[in-house]
Amino acid sequence: MIKVIIADDEDKVCQLIRNLVDWRELDMEIAGIAHNGVEALDMVRELSPDLMITDIRMPGYDGIEMIRRARGLSENLSFIIISGYQHFEYAQDAIKYGVGDYLLKPIKREDLMASLNRIRQKHLRRSERISKEKMLYDQLKCGTEKLRQNLFADLLPGKAVLPDGAGPVEVNRTYRYSFRPGLYQVCAVKIDCGWEDEYDSAIRILEDKAVQIISRTLKGICFDLETSFMDSTTWCVLNYAPEQKKNLRKSMKSLLDELMLQKAAFEKFSFTLGIGEAEPEVLMLHRSFQSAKYAVEQRLVVGCDRLIEPAHPPVSTGCADGLLSDFDRKLSLFLEILDRDAVQACILQLGKKIEEEKKLSGEEIFYVASQAFDLYLTHLRGLKIAVESGGERRGDFLTRANRCGSVSQLFAYLCARVTGSLDRIAEEKRQTDTRPIRQAKQYIRQNFRSALTLEEVSGTVGFSPTYFSTLFKKETGSNFVDYLSEVRMEEAKRLLRETNLNVAAVCEQVGYSDQKHFTKSFRKFTGLKPNEYRKLYA
């Protein structure tokens, strides 16, 4: 039996969870109910549960602190968090500690069952209690799922579409679907959250939630349905009878309403439902995919948190290419001198022009942003600056840019990515420029006892004396002679404090051949004669 603890400060919520499902059917048992974080932690110590269902905020230790402490007591303890408020920061912190799922109040039986089944499968795999028959079934199911996912790969733009003449029978045989004659349609749930790394874990949880909601709201209407998640977009292929078209439309609205409820826990996230054209032939599914993709991209124009109807790209006006041409000309000039601020202003100006230009589609807007980044990379290569490292990875840029739900957010990301890259390049250039100075300083410290000259030191780093002298002053704030004197005086001070060498010997040890000159230099540097310094500090 999988032992479960329920933790919520509202007893009626605890009893609801307890009575909502048949726990024995899931091979689970309620081991205890806690009404605050302290009680919950005590139960973790005493009962060693496998799963805890906990409110995100409770008396005693709040949900996050309790999860952190409980994780320290039991590394394999699974968690499902529940919340009825906009507690995005709490949810994000909980996800960092490995929370597997979340539920929104009021809790629905089907949501709870879906979460419990996932936890159960995870627990069984970990405890190696799956029978051979079940393992074989899972392997066959996994193989079927892979074949079904191949359909999405073949629908992607730029890849092979379905074979000519393919009908439901051929597609069913190739991809293991159960399509019937009727309508074929693609829709997409787009999750937007910005480009920051902190949202990666939340996107994975929302992916599962989107699949659950799609299945619950649309499966009963369709002959067959399949989903595929690609970064921040859940794609869905539908096959249904023509007479179900109106019902499907209503269910799509319900689907969006349920997605919007998730904002209670993830208020900084946005959801868009893009719908592709319903096609009469399975062979035309790629057209539905393209129109759904275009609909999703239109959120950059009409906004997120809405359902966007099927649409096809209009004929291009050439406006996007005109904006890029002007941007490229300015970018080239500013990058040649690595003027970070001018490049930043150039990108922000491009974003402003995009917002003012009413003729551009969402597809064209994203095209401009991605091409602007490509132009930046191209100019870096032309300047012999290494790319494809750090901030210059194109694939990563496109993935994170695709999570931006508005023009302003998209171009703010482009700006942050490019300026961050330029900062790195400037720092590397500074390190390269100053490396000879660091080498020269090291050479001086190793050889200050000899009669060093500017010509000798500059020669060791491959610079002319004039250029070296200018660069040395710029990087250290002092000229070569002053720096050499400072090194010698610091060593003289050490010898006077820590040894019994007389002044003449100290003078010789630090590279001076004239004791009178040494004494004069020492007094200028410290304000004291060598013997006076020794009396005070030895």
Side-chain angles (χ1 to χ4, degrees), residues 282-332:
V282 69
L283 185 62
M284 301 165 73
L285 256 178
H286 67 284
R287 290 177 49 178
S288 184
F289 181 93
Q290 289 169 348
S291 60
K293 179 176 179 290
Y294 180 80
V296 163
E297 289 170 334
Q298 277 299 98
R299 76 195 188 285
L300 294 174
V301 177
V302 300
C304 300
D305 294 332
R306 66 182 66 207
L307 184 151
I308 302 179
E309 300 286 356
H312 288 285
V315 177
S316 175
T317 61
C319 179
D321 290 328
L323 289 171
L324 282 168
S325 178
D326 182 56
F327 171 77
D328 185 34
R329 180 179 56 80
K330 294 176 181 176
L331 183 68
S332 175

Side-chain angles (χ1 to χ4, degrees), residues 20 22 298 378 420:
L20 209 53
D22 185 341
Q298 277 299 98
T378 299

Side-chain angles (χ1 to χ4, degrees), residues 383-401:
L383 294 168
K384 302 293 189 293
I385 296 173
V387 299
E388 298 303 326
S389 64
E392 293 80 52
R393 289 193 296 270
R394 184 178 188 274
D396 183 63
F397 170 81
L398 293 176
T399 295
R400 297 189 180 280

Side-chain angles (χ1 to χ4, degrees), residues 14-286:
C14 294
Q15 295 306 320
L16 172 67
I17 296 171
R18 182 172 198 160
N19 298 323
L20 209 53
V21 298
D22 185 341
W23 296 94
R24 286 190 173 276
E25 186 181 308
L26 294 168
D27 196 28
M28 295 181 176
E29 63 174 347
I30 304 298
I33 293 177
H35 297 298
N36 59 61
V38 176
E39 287 181 8
L41 271 182
D42 288 341
M43 288 184 181
V44 172
R45 292 189 189 94
E46 295 169 9
L47 303 174
S48 300
D50 304 296
L51 168 64
M52 180 179 290
I53 304 172
T54 177
D55 194 350
I56 205 165
R57 299 188 77 173
M58 286 191 302
Y61 300 122
D62 70 12
I64 304 304
E65 178 63 14
M66 190 272 294
I67 289 169
R68 186 185 69 79
R69 290 173 178 261
R71 179 68 76 192
L73 294 172
S74 177
E75 187 178 336
N76 292 324
L77 180 59
S78 298
F79 295 92
I80 298 173
I81 57 173
I82 53 180
S83 174
Y85 307 97
Q86 290 192 342
H87 291 148
F88 174 76
E89 286 77 11
Y90 285 93
Q92 282 292 96
D93 287 341
I95 289 166
K96 290 176 185 175
Y97 290 111
V99 169
D101 207 344
Y102 73 94
L103 299 170
L104 297 177
K105 296 178 182 178
I107 299 168
K108 297 179 180 178
R109 183 180 185 278
E110 54 266 37
D111 290 340
L112 179 58
M113 284 293 293
S115 296
L116 291 174
N117 273 313
R118 277 199 301 276
I119 297 291
R120 179 173 177 269
Q121 289 300 315
K122 178 182 174 183
H123 178 77
L124 290 175
R125 282 193 296 271
R126 189 166 58 228
S127 58
E128 298 180 349
R129 285 168 50 194
I130 297 179
S131 66
K132 290 183 179 179
E133 292 81 3
K134 183 67 168 62
M135 288 178 67
L136 180 60
Y137 170 79
D138 286 346
Q139 288 171 1
L140 291 171
K141 184 180 178 183
C142 182
T144 299
E145 287 175 352
K146 285 181 179 178
L147 287 172
R148 287 172 69 90
Q149 289 295 309
N150 286 344
L151 177 64
F152 291 91
D154 289 344
L155 289 174
L156 286 171
K159 294 192 176 183
V161 296
L162 303 180
D164 288 341
V169 175
E170 291 81 1
V171 172
N172 290 343
R173 183 169 57 246
T174 303
Y175 300 102
R176 298 295 190 271
Y177 278 77
S178 301
F179 286 158
R180 303 182 199 174
L183 295 177
Y184 304 87
Q185 192 169 17
V186 175
C187 67
V189 172
K190 181 70 181 69
I191 302 169
D192 288 315
C193 56
W195 65 86
E196 293 87 347
D197 290 340
E198 64 184 283
Y199 300 134
D200 289 352
S201 298
I203 285 178
R204 287 193 290 273
I205 286 183
L206 285 170
E207 165 197 351
D208 289 338
K209 197 63 65 175
V211 170
Q212 283 179 39
I213 296 171
I214 290 170
S215 179
R216 184 169 62 246
T217 55
L218 303 182
K219 203 161 191 175
I221 302 172
C222 301
F223 296 138
D224 203 352
L225 173 155
E226 186 58 84
T227 57
S228 181
F229 193 79
M230 300 176 191
D231 182 51
S232 55
T233 307
T234 301
W235 297 97
C236 180
V237 169
L238 310 169
N239 168 226
Y240 56 93
E243 56 268 25
Q244 291 284 9
K245 195 168 185 178
K246 285 187 178 180
N247 289 333
L248 187 74
R249 168 71 183 175
K250 290 179 183 178
S251 296
M252 289 284 189
K253 290 183 177 179
S254 298
L255 168 58
L256 181 63
D257 289 341
E258 284 216 44
L259 288 170
M260 295 302 293
L261 290 175
Q262 309 312 308
K263 291 173 75 71
F266 295 90
E267 59 186 329
K268 295 183 181 179
F269 283 63
S270 297
F271 301 91
T272 303
L273 178 57
I275 303 176
E277 294 279 5
E279 302 290 352
E281 301 291 339
V282 69
L283 185 62
M284 301 165 73
L285 256 178
H286 67 284

Side-chain angles (χ1 to χ4, degrees), residues 338-352:
L338 292 180
D339 189 335
R340 177 194 186 278
D341 293 340
V343 170
Q344 181 179 32
C346 186
I347 294 171
L348 294 176
Q349 185 182 36
L350 176 62
K352 187 176 180 181

